[in-house]
Amino acid sequence: MQPILLIESRAPGLLYVNGQFCGELTEPQPFPARPDARALIELRPLGQEALPMACALTLRGGRVQPHGQEGVYCVQWPDGVAQVELRPQPWPGRMQAVRTALLQGLEAVACGGEAALFRDGEPAMPLPRGARELTARERDGGALAVQGACDAGAFACVVPPPGGRIAEGAAALVTAHSLRWEGANVLRAVVGGEDAVGHGELREYRAGPDGLWLVSSQPVWAQGVPRWPQSAQETLRAYLEAVRLGLRAEAEGYLAAPHAAPALERFDAVTPLRYPLVRAPERLPLAMGLLSVVEPGLARVAAVCARARAVNGRQGGYALEEVALYGEA
């Protein structure tokens, strides 16, 4: 299979690959590569919105290898397609910081999509992406508690008093599907729930001047009840997510027979496939991806194919008759 580098950028610019000018990069551009090769990529952003950047990627056996370079994010998809996203740094001085005063010298500073808390002008704590609607209140011992909404749902954190620090074993910040304070020092958070069925965990924390201490946790449904799959494709996703979470009984409940699926290596997430499979077996029309993180700038996706039939089941209206790894079906 011919390896393909699909190069894209957050900032439009002029693209060079192995020293050759390849035109203006405003949308993803595909470039054929050899199975064992070195790709030298350079981006010259237009105007003064971002700084120029360059990177070098190595392919072995048609797959991008770990590279350890900042601002370069690769996803290796099946059939030799490697998605390469370039994230150049903003031009110095172009991004304006937005400051929000909170309480007792504490302020939130947001710039270029990142945000952090500062206390008396000193960095105190980074905030999760999309942090907004921040409120702060005093805690025992001179600490401050901050909570708000974020891209993950909600968050809460404890800023120690001047001279204090977060203790080993305690959490400084918690992100959750939802959270609420009960009394002065108890935080209850429902984490998870992003998977197809809505598996979550109810965690109880005790807040102190040195951080948030986990007291207890128990499984729950993030929405209060399970969202059982309503289609064959959702059933495949739900099965794979149950496997990832180690929920063996639930995973087997999606199968038409106990041995309808192979053993799978560990993976980090289930994702839709961005590109159609070139050699998808006709008898297995369903497909999902298993994403594994190799390093912060590289992930690899393996495909799983399957076939389902309609049933009147306890875990939805479909059962998987056969599941196989792509390339082994």
Side-chain angles (χ1 to χ4, degrees):
M1 190 66 63
Q2 171 73 64
I4 297 292
L5 297 179
L6 192 68
I7 304 174
E8 56 189 275
S9 171
R10 285 188 171 183
L14 306 181
L15 179 67
Y16 294 78
V17 178
N18 293 336
Q20 298 295 314
F21 176 58
C22 298
E24 184 179 351
L25 185 61
T26 56
E27 59 184 26
Q29 289 195 25
F31 294 88
R34 298 191 306 274
D36 298 287
R38 184 85 162 160
L40 307 178
I41 303 171
E42 180 184 0
L43 177 70
R44 302 178 186 178
L46 301 174
Q48 294 186 333
E49 294 298 323
L51 294 172
M53 68 173 294
C55 67
L57 299 178
T58 299
L59 281 79
R60 291 178 185 161
R63 304 209 305 173
V64 174
Q65 300 301 297
H67 56 80
Q69 299 167 93
E70 293 186 9
V72 183
Y73 297 87
C74 305
V75 179
Q76 181 69 61
W77 296 93
D79 296 324
V81 178
Q83 178 186 353
V84 180
E85 181 185 359
L86 307 177
R87 300 181 186 177
Q89 293 292 316
W91 193 274
R94 298 291 292 183
M95 304 301 295
Q96 297 295 320
V98 177
R99 300 177 178 271
T100 303
L102 295 172
L103 184 69
Q104 294 185 5
L106 187 70
E107 65 176 355
V109 180
C111 183
E114 303 293 334
L117 292 173
F118 285 72
R119 191 169 193 176
D120 298 326
E122 297 294 327
M125 186 178 304
L127 292 175
R129 180 166 291 276
R132 58 194 181 276
E133 303 171 17
L134 275 62
T135 60
R137 57 178 174 172
E138 298 181 34
R139 312 300 306 178
D140 295 342
L144 299 175
V146 178
Q147 70 180 87
C150 65
D151 289 351
F155 78 93
C157 63
V158 169
V159 179
R165 63 182 182 85
I166 300 297
E168 183 177 354
L173 182 145
V174 171
T175 59
H177 174 75
S178 62
L179 54 82
R180 71 177 186 271
W181 288 96
E182 293 191 353
N185 299 306
V186 176
L187 177 69
R188 292 171 66 86
V190 176
V191 302
E194 296 83 10
D195 64 299
V197 182
H199 297 96
E201 187 177 7
L202 175 61
R203 298 178 182 174
E204 185 174 294
Y205 294 88
R206 176 178 55 81
D210 54 355
L212 295 163
W213 295 90
L214 181 62
V215 176
S216 65
S217 64
Q218 58 181 314
V220 295
W221 298 113
Q223 302 291 344
V225 294
R227 302 185 299 262
W228 298 121
Q230 300 299 308
S231 69
Q233 185 72 16
E234 288 179 357
T235 301
L236 176 58
R237 176 187 169 189
Y239 165 75
L240 295 172
E241 288 175 335
V243 170
R244 184 183 67 83
L245 294 171
L247 303 174
R248 182 176 177 179
E250 182 182 322
E252 292 179 348
Y254 296 115
L255 301 178
H259 303 293
L264 299 173
E265 298 289 338
R266 189 195 69 84
F267 54 94
D268 298 306
V270 179
T271 182
L273 295 173
R274 181 167 178 174
Y275 313 103
L277 298 173
V278 174
R279 297 168 295 178
E282 291 185 5
R283 75 177 192 281
L284 303 176
L286 307 173
M288 290 293 292
L290 308 180
L291 184 144
S292 300
V293 177
V294 180
E295 64 174 17
L298 176 62
R300 290 176 178 154
V301 177
V304 170
C305 301
R307 179 180 71 253
R309 61 179 170 86
V311 297
N312 185 17
R314 185 176 61 85
Q315 296 176 193
Y318 292 85
L320 300 171
E321 295 183 301
E322 183 181 359
V323 180
L325 283 167
Y326 179 55
E328 299 180 6

